[in-house]
């Protein structure tokens, strides 16, 4: 009897571990979704694994392409998998995990009749993706952020949508580094969601770009005549001549930016610039800016590499009772409408050569156009911080003790070396300035120690020292693209540019020494500097007694300023703009507004307010801000003690730029923060914080990810506090009620469980090492949700009905950024890749 009981327990525990080793919270799935290999779909001897059900209400579907061996670079392959339910379901999240070395881009379509339902096929030929109309639901492009749907929003599949298959299209870059691609689909069936996602396409049909003309605008505008919609992502698309594409909502004569992007950057969906709604009677407007330079003939709208396109996509959601899944706009708008468009819409966005994408949309170059401008050197992909990793203090760093005074500023050079700006034996005290901000301790002379230290980020050893006998009270520091130093000194009321060679060569001086002021030639205790890596323009936060940000040319010419009392923003003036960070991928300047306890974001080119991030967790003071252009943008801040009684622990924060969500908090373990004064983040995710009170610099690194095997079935919804309390008490009661026999049985099972765990780990490790299965993966989370069926309009078919247009290449879309140097060789995008925007059933916004 006891032996039978033991065997039964062993079988039950093994089955639980076998069935639920992939279970966990939705957040855990999003951040670290486990890969479960499939068999080769072309191998008839091994049946495809059944649908994985992590609980009775969830479906997990893997789409894989094992055995693919492309014969040439820039190949396109597709694989189809059936929607695993005939009921209505909604995709509510996309989580790509794609290799940038191999996958140029991935597109997910929904349709009823894919070209094949067995294995994979070459969809870069005339075969395409689907025999019927393919509806795009997701686009991932190399170096572009993932698309995140808002809570309770989803794309409808199954039911009456005519979407019974998912088709995944992969563009492989270099054949020499080929591997397989993975996509995981997870469906949540029981819960109902109130919102439906849709697509609004704005497209120019008749733009003509004259040869040699520097600027040609393509303008599109329509009056919105449907129920309220809420944009949350946008995407731009042109061919090679496009410089910038912008989209706006116009209400009561006010233009509100939806999104603005260079079409030469990866053409995925990006988060909208402003969280807005679009209501009946509003106007939606878009502008594409082209140049005809380098062309010898007129360029028209079309699908080949020598034609152009002007598309602005808005991904939105609506209340499901009135949802329209697809809408479009192809009008020019009323006469004179675009006279009021913001100036930014006509300003090209600079794109560095290493970020240019291959914009070829056909293999034929009828004009003999030279592609040399698209050629790029092959470069190694840099590690990026893991959005799900917790930052922990690096113990034992620095390995040698640094002789520091008050640490006021930090920066990184192009080699990722850490630059420390400190005050030596000078300290900012109550007697440092009088009531007019005049420095009172000039008699002490300048700081004799080296105030600028270049430090090895790994060991913490000093590589170079400079800045002797120059500064009185250092504050902020940054570097430009040439590694020159830009520093501020609050005692001098100046901003200085120093040579990178460590010889303290003064290259530029802004402001008058020891003379505070508020005009264009003076500062009052300036705090920080940021430099635009593309234009070289310089931004200065000024400061403790002037509440403004000033913009100068690289040569030191005043350009503009904003934020002071005479130029109030609608969010109120600054109260000590204390730190600056430049977001190069968004062309925005981030300002740590210290006493207002917030971070504000502004368009770098115009100073236009974009957004504000203010959290109760900050406690009323934000001392410094840093930015990392990964995962759609990560913002790092450190807070400070508030004199107004808003107590909050001193710590660092990592936030998602788009959602403003706090992703992580971190603080030192060896000592407490006393006055964290500045923060910088390296490309590998390491974070450095300078503390002005403890005269130290601390390093934080992402914690190592760990494989965790769980044999407990976890619910997919978050437990309420009451449920957690009930569960805790129930568990405690159960533990107290365990009999000695049960405890003995559990102890006997421990060795077996250890063996099972090791076996599962080996199997997981083997799957990770199986080259054909480990390049990328995409997780989709779906909910059932009532909504309307989507009709379709294929752009190729649409233009084929218009005289003078050909279908050839018109469905193609460049969503990719160039992977390798081979991308310049007539890189073509496959048929049906460009988004097909169906007309709304019965309702039009035109």
């Amino acid at each position: 009897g006891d032996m039978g009981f033991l065997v039964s327990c062993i079988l039950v525990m093994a089955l639980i571990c076998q069935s639920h080793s992939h279970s966990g919270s939705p957040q855990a799935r999003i951040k670290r979704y486990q890969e479960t290999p499939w068999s080769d779909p072309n191998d008839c001897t091994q049946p495809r694994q059944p649908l994985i059900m992590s609980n009775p209400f969830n479906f997990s579907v893997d789409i894989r392409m094992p055995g693919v061996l492309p014969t040439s670079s820039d190949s396109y392959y597709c694989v189809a998998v059936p929607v695993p339910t005939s009921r209505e379901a909604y995709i509510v999240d996309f989580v790509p995990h794609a290799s940038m070395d191999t996958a140029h881009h991935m597109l997910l379509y929904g349709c009823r009749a894919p070209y094949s339902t067995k294995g994979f096929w070459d969809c870069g030929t005339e075969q395409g993706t689907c025999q019927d109309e393919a509806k795009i639901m997701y686009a991932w492009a190399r170096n572009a952020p993932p698309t995140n749907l808002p809570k309770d929003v989803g794309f409808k599949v199954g039911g009456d949508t005519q979407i019974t298959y998912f088709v995944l299209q992969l563009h492989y870059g270099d054949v020499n580094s080929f591997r397989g691609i993975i996509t995981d689909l997870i469906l949540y069936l029981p819960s109902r969601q109130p919102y439906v996602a849709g697509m609004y396409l704005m497209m120019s049909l008749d733009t003509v770009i004259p040869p040699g003309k520097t600027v040609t605008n393509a303008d599109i505008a329509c009056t919105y005549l449907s129920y309220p919609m809420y944009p949350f992502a946008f995407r731009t698309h042109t061919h090679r001549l496009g410089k910038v594409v912008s989209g706006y909502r116009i209400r009561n004569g006010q233009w509100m930016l939806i999104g603005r992007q260079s079409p030469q950057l990866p053409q995925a969906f990006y988060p909208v610039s402003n969280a807005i709604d679009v209501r009946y009677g509003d106007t939606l407007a878009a502008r594409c800016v082209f140049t005809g330079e380098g062309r010898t003939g007129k360029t028209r709208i079309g699908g080949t590499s020598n034609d152009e396109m002007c598309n602005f996509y808005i991904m939105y959601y609506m209340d499901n009772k009135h949802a329209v899944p697809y809408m479009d706009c192809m009008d020019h708008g009323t006469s004179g409408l675009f006279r009021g468009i913001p100036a930014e819409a006509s300003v090209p966005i600079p794109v560095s050569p290493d970020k240019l994408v291959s914009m070829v949309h056909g293999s034929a170059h009828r004009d003999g156009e030279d592609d040399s401008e698209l050629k790029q050197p092959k470069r190694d992909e840099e590690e990026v911080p893991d959005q799900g990793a917790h930052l922990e203090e690096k113990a034992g760093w620095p390995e040698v003790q640094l002789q520091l005074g008050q640490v006021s500023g930090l920066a990184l050079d192009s080699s990722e070396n850490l630059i420390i700006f400190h005050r030596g034996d000078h300290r900012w005290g109550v007697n440092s300035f009088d009531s007019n901000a005049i420095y009172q301790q000039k008699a002490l002379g300048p700081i004799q120690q080296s105030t600028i230290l270049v430090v090895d980020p790994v060991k913490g050893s000093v590589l170079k020292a400079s800045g002797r006998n120059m500064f009185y009270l250092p504050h902020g520091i940054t570097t430009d693209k040439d590694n020159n130093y830009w520093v501020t000194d609050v005692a001098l009321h100046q901003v200085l540019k120093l040579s990178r060679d460590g010889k303290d060569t003064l290259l530029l001086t802004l402001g008058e020494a020891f003379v505070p002021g508020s005009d264009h030639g003076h500062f009052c205790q300036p705090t920080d500097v940021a430099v635009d890596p593309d234009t070289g323009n310089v931004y200065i936060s000024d400061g403790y007694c002037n509440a403004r940000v000033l913009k100068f040319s690289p040569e030191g010419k005043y350009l503009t300023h904003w934020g002071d009392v005479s130029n109030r923003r609608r969010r109120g003036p600054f109260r000590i703009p204390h730190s600056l960070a430049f977001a190069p991928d968004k062309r925005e300047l981030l300002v740590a507004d210290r006493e207002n306890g917030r971070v504000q974001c502004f368009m770098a080119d115009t100073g236009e307010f974009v957004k504000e991030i203010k959290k109760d967790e900050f406690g009323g003071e934000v001392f410094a801000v840093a930015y990392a252009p990964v995962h759609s943008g990560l913002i790092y801040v450190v807070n400070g003690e508030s004199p107004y009684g808003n107590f909050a622990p001193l710590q660092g924060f990592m936030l998602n730029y788009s959602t403003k969500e706090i992703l992580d908090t971190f603080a030192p373990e060896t000592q407490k923060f006393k006055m964290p004064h500045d923060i910088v983040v390296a490309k590998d995710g390491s974070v450095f914080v300078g503390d002005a009170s403890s005269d130290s610099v601390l390093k934080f690194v992402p914690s190592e990810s760990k494989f965790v095997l769980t044999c407990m079935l976890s619910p997919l919804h978050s437990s309420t506090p009451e449920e957690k309390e009930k569960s805790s008490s129930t568990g405690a009661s159960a533990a107290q009620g365990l009999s000695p026999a049960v405890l003995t049985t559990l102890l006997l099972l421990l060795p077996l469980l250890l063996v099972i765990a090791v076996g599962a780990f080996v199997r997981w490790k083997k799957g990770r090492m199986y080259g054909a299965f480990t390049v990328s993966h995409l997780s989709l989370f779906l909910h059932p949700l009532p909504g309307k069926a989507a009709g379709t309009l294929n752009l190729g078919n649409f233009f084929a009905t218009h005289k003078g247009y050909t279908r050839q290449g018109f469905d193609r879309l460049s969503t990719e950024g160039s992977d390798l140097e081979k991308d310049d060789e007539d890189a073509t995008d496959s048929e049906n890749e460009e988004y097909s925007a169906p007309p709304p059933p019965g309702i039009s916004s035109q």
Side-chain angles (χ1 to χ4, degrees):
D2 291 341
M3 181 61 67
F5 175 74
L6 177 60
V7 172
S8 298
C9 287
I10 292 174
L11 291 175
V12 169
M13 293 298 290
L15 286 173
I16 290 175
C17 290
Q18 174 99 17
S19 301
H20 303 305
S21 63
H22 293 285
S23 65
S25 66
Q27 291 82 2
R29 282 185 171 83
I30 292 173
K31 293 179 180 178
R32 301 179 184 88
Y33 199 79
Q34 301 296 328
E35 298 176 359
T36 308
W38 259 6
S39 60
D40 188 337
N42 294 329
D43 187 353
C44 299
T45 62
Q46 298 184 18
R48 175 166 281 205
Q49 290 185 8
L51 195 67
I52 301 171
M53 298 183 65
S54 55
N55 71 29
F57 306 109
N58 297 338
F59 295 95
S60 175
V61 182
D62 290 344
I63 307 176
R64 303 194 175 214
M65 294 187 185
V68 175
L69 187 60
T71 57
S72 61
S73 297
D74 294 317
S75 298
Y76 295 81
Y77 286 89
C78 290
V79 65
V81 69
V83 175
T85 177
S86 59
R87 299 170 53 187
E88 295 181 358
Y90 268 72
I91 302 175
V92 298
D93 204 0
F94 306 90
V95 183
H97 298 281
S99 165
M100 294 181 182
D101 288 327
T102 305
H104 221 192
H105 70 262
M106 70 167 71
L107 295 174
L108 182 71
Y109 296 92
C111 65
R112 183 182 54 180
Y115 269 98
S116 177
T117 58
K118 297 181 180 179
F120 57 87
W121 70 93
D122 183 350
C123 54
T125 62
E126 295 181 359
Q127 209 170 23
T129 55
C130 296
Q131 300 180 59
D132 59 342
E133 301 294 345
K135 306 175 183 69
I136 189 173
M137 291 180 287
Y138 179 73
W140 174 88
R142 179 184 182 272
N143 286 341
T147 301
N148 296 316
L149 302 185
K151 182 181 179 182
D152 302 331
V153 175
F155 283 99
K156 184 180 178 182
V157 298
D160 60 355
T161 64
Q162 304 299 310
I163 297 179
T164 57
Y165 278 89
F166 295 116
V167 178
L168 180 69
Q169 181 194 69
L170 275 302
H171 172 200
Y172 296 105
D174 185 359
V175 65
N176 296 318
S177 61
F178 177 81
R179 296 184 185 178
I181 294 294
I182 305 166
T183 296
D184 295 329
L185 306 178
I186 301 178
L187 288 77
Y188 294 87
L189 292 180
S191 60
R192 297 174 62 86
Q193 303 295 320
Y195 301 107
V196 177
M199 201 76 66
Y200 191 108
L201 168 61
M202 307 186 73
M203 179 170 61
S204 175
L205 301 179
D206 53 7
T207 298
V208 178
I209 305 169
K213 187 175 181 180
T214 304
V215 175
T216 297
N217 296 328
D219 294 334
I220 316 155
C222 291
T223 301
Y224 185 73
L225 300 175
S226 187
Y227 292 96
M229 76 172 183
Y230 304 89
F232 60 88
F234 75 96
R235 180 175 164 272
T236 65
H237 176 69
T238 71
H239 295 180
R240 290 180 182 167
L241 303 185
K243 295 299 182 181
V244 62
V245 181
S246 310
Y248 297 87
R249 181 207 68 188
I250 308 172
R251 179 182 294 172
N252 300 324
Q254 299 296 316
W255 292 66
M256 179 62 71
L257 181 67
I258 297 174
R260 174 175 176 266
Q261 184 62 285
S262 167
Q264 307 304 321
L265 292 172
Q267 294 183 9
F269 284 97
Y270 293 82
V272 295
S273 299
N274 296 288
I276 63 171
D277 62 352
V278 180
R279 298 183 178 273
Y280 185 94
D282 290 342
T283 298
L284 290 171
R287 166 172 286 182
C288 300
V289 177
F290 297 99
T291 178
E293 294 178 341
R295 292 294 176 97
T296 58
K298 293 181 179 180
T299 305
R300 304 179 184 273
I301 298 295
T304 71
S305 61
N306 294 318
D307 296 323
E308 264 303 334
M309 294 185 72
C310 170
N311 291 1
F312 184 80
Y313 300 84
I314 303 172
M315 193 181 288
Y316 62 86
Y317 65 88
M318 302 175 73
D319 187 292
N320 72 45
K321 295 179 181 179
H322 311 293
V324 181
Y326 298 99
M327 292 179 274
D328 58 68
C329 169
M330 303 175 192
D331 290 350
H332 296 288
T334 59
S335 177
L337 174 67
F338 283 86
R339 294 174 184 172
I341 192 170
E344 65 186 13
S346 301
V347 179
I349 296 177
V351 179
S352 58
D354 65 322
K355 293 182 180 179
L356 283 172
V357 301
S358 175
M359 301 307 297
V360 184
H361 284 256
S363 58
H365 294 263
R366 291 189 294 269
D367 292 339
E369 202 167 87
D370 183 11
D371 284 343
S372 60
E373 62 179 354
L374 299 177
K375 293 181 180 179
Q376 305 177 50
K378 181 175 180 179
R379 59 189 181 91
D380 295 332
E381 294 298 336
E382 297 166 341
E383 295 183 6
V384 298
D386 180 0
Q387 188 171 346
H390 172 62
L391 287 169
E392 297 178 345
E393 182 185 4
K394 178 67 173 178
W397 192 95
E399 296 180 4
V400 293
Q401 186 175 359
L402 299 174
Q403 301 299 320
L404 301 174
Q406 289 182 325
V407 178
S408 59
L410 299 176
L412 294 167
D413 62 19
S414 60
S415 300
E416 294 290 285
N417 293 317
L418 177 66
I419 302 172
I420 303 173
F421 198 29
H422 71 106
R423 295 172 183 157
D425 57 1
H426 284 205
R427 304 192 77 83
W428 189 346
V430 294
N431 299 319
S432 297
F433 295 88
D434 64 13
S435 59
N436 295 316
I438 303 295
Y439 185 57
Q440 299 296 296
Q441 298 173 334
K442 288 176 59 177
L444 295 176
I447 301 169
Q448 296 181 6
Q449 296 94 345
S450 297
T451 57
I452 301 176
L453 303 179
V454 180
V455 173
D456 179 359
V458 177
K459 296 184 178 181
S461 56
V462 177
L463 304 177
K464 186 166 54 179
S466 59
R468 299 181 182 87
N469 297 310
M470 295 188 68
F471 305 109
Y472 288 78
L473 279 181
H475 201 276
I477 186 169
T478 193
T479 59
D480 57 25
K481 62 182 179 181
D482 297 320
N483 286 330
N484 296 312
Y485 307 139
W486 291 80
V487 301
T488 69
D489 188 309
V490 291
L492 289 171
H493 303 290
Q494 286 182 312
V495 178
L496 307 175
K497 178 183 178 182
L498 303 176
S499 63
R500 63 183 178 182
D501 54 13
K503 297 181 180 179
D504 298 335
T505 304
L506 193 59
L507 303 179
L508 183 66
T509 301
L510 298 175
E512 184 177 354
F514 300 109
V515 179
S518 57
D519 57 23
H520 300 164
H522 291 83
F523 307 103
C524 190
Q525 297 176 344
T527 53
D528 203 7
V529 187
V531 180
D532 184 337
D534 293 325
T535 66
N537 289 333
V538 180
Y539 300 84
I540 300 169
S541 51
D542 180 36
Y544 284 92
C545 31
N546 288 331
R548 60 181 181 170
V549 171
L550 299 96
K551 178 179 177 181
F552 291 83
S553 72
E555 297 75 30
K557 178 183 178 181
Y558 167 83
L559 299 177
T560 187
H561 75 279
W562 66 85
D564 58 4
V565 176
S566 63
N567 186 25
R568 285 174 179 256
R569 294 277 130 187
R570 60 191 177 102
R571 298 275 176 162
F574 295 128
R575 293 172 60 199
I576 307 183
H578 194 257
S579 171
L580 301 177
F582 197 88
D585 57 328
K586 302 184 185 304
R587 301 290 307 154
E588 292 179 12
L589 183 73
L590 281 61
V591 182
D593 190 5
R594 195 179 92 173
E595 300 302 304
N596 280 322
R598 65 189 181 185
V599 173
Q600 289 193 319
C601 306
F602 301 87
M603 294 292 297
D605 297 325
T606 64
E608 178 184 353
F609 175 82
V610 176
K611 63 165 44 173
E612 175 180 292
I613 301 174
K614 188 170 184 176
K615 297 288 185 179
D616 293 338
E617 292 85 348
F618 295 164
E621 296 244 347
V622 173
F623 266 62
V625 62
Y627 179 84
V630 296
H631 299 303
S632 301
L634 296 179
I635 295 176
Y636 297 78
V637 302
V638 287
N639 65 345
E641 292 184 354
S642 173
Y644 309 108
N646 300 327
F647 175 77
L650 297 184
Q651 56 189 338
F653 300 84
M654 179 171 69
L655 303 99
N656 182 288
Y657 170 89
S658 302
T659 65
K660 307 180 185 179
E661 173 190 4
I662 295 177
L663 303 174
D664 186 28
T665 59
F666 52 94
E669 298 177 359
T670 57
Q671 65 185 54
K672 290 185 177 180
F673 278 140
K674 294 183 178 179
M675 186 186 287
H677 199 265
D678 202 5
I679 183 171
V680 290
V681 55
K683 292 179 180 179
D684 65 357
S686 300
V687 173
F688 299 90
V689 177
D691 194 306
S693 183
S694 64
D695 303 346
S696 62
V697 178
L698 298 103
K699 180 178 180 179
F700 299 86
V701 295
S703 58
E704 295 182 1
S705 58
K706 301 176 181 178
F707 175 76
V708 179
L709 174 66
T710 173
C711 294
M712 299 298 293
L713 175 60
S714 302
L716 288 177
H717 60 82
S718 300
S719 301
T720 63
E722 292 79 6
E723 290 171 335
K724 291 178 180 179
E725 183 177 354
K726 180 178 179 181
S727 174
S728 177
S729 61
T730 303
S733 301
Q736 292 175 0
L738 287 176
S739 66
V742 175
L743 288 173
T744 302
T745 303
L746 290 176
L747 289 174
L748 290 173
L749 283 174
L750 285 177
L752 177 63
L753 292 177
L754 180 60
V755 173
I756 294 173
V758 172
F761 178 81
V762 171
R763 182 178 179 183
W764 172 83
K765 191 71 175 178
K766 183 178 180 181
R768 293 278 294 179
M769 296 173 62
Y770 199 71
F773 298 132
T774 57
V775 176
S776 70
H777 108 193
L778 168 67
S779 299
L780 287 82
F781 297 81
L782 296 90
H783 285 273
L785 186 60
K788 298 182 182 293
T792 63
L793 166 66
N794 185 278
L795 293 181
N797 293 336
F798 176 85
F799 280 101
T801 63
H802 290 68
K803 185 177 180 180
Y805 294 99
T806 63
R807 179 184 173 88
Q808 179 183 4
F810 204 90
D811 293 333
R812 296 170 180 168
L813 155 70
S814 178
T815 59
E816 70 274 16
S818 300
D819 281 342
L820 308 164
E821 65 268 11
K822 291 192 178 183
D823 290 339
D824 66 288
E825 299 175 357
D826 295 338
T828 61
D829 293 335
S830 69
E831 288 293 333
N832 294 319
E833 185 188 340
E834 180 57 84
Y835 175 64
S836 302
I843 298 179
S844 174
S845 63
Q846 298 186 49

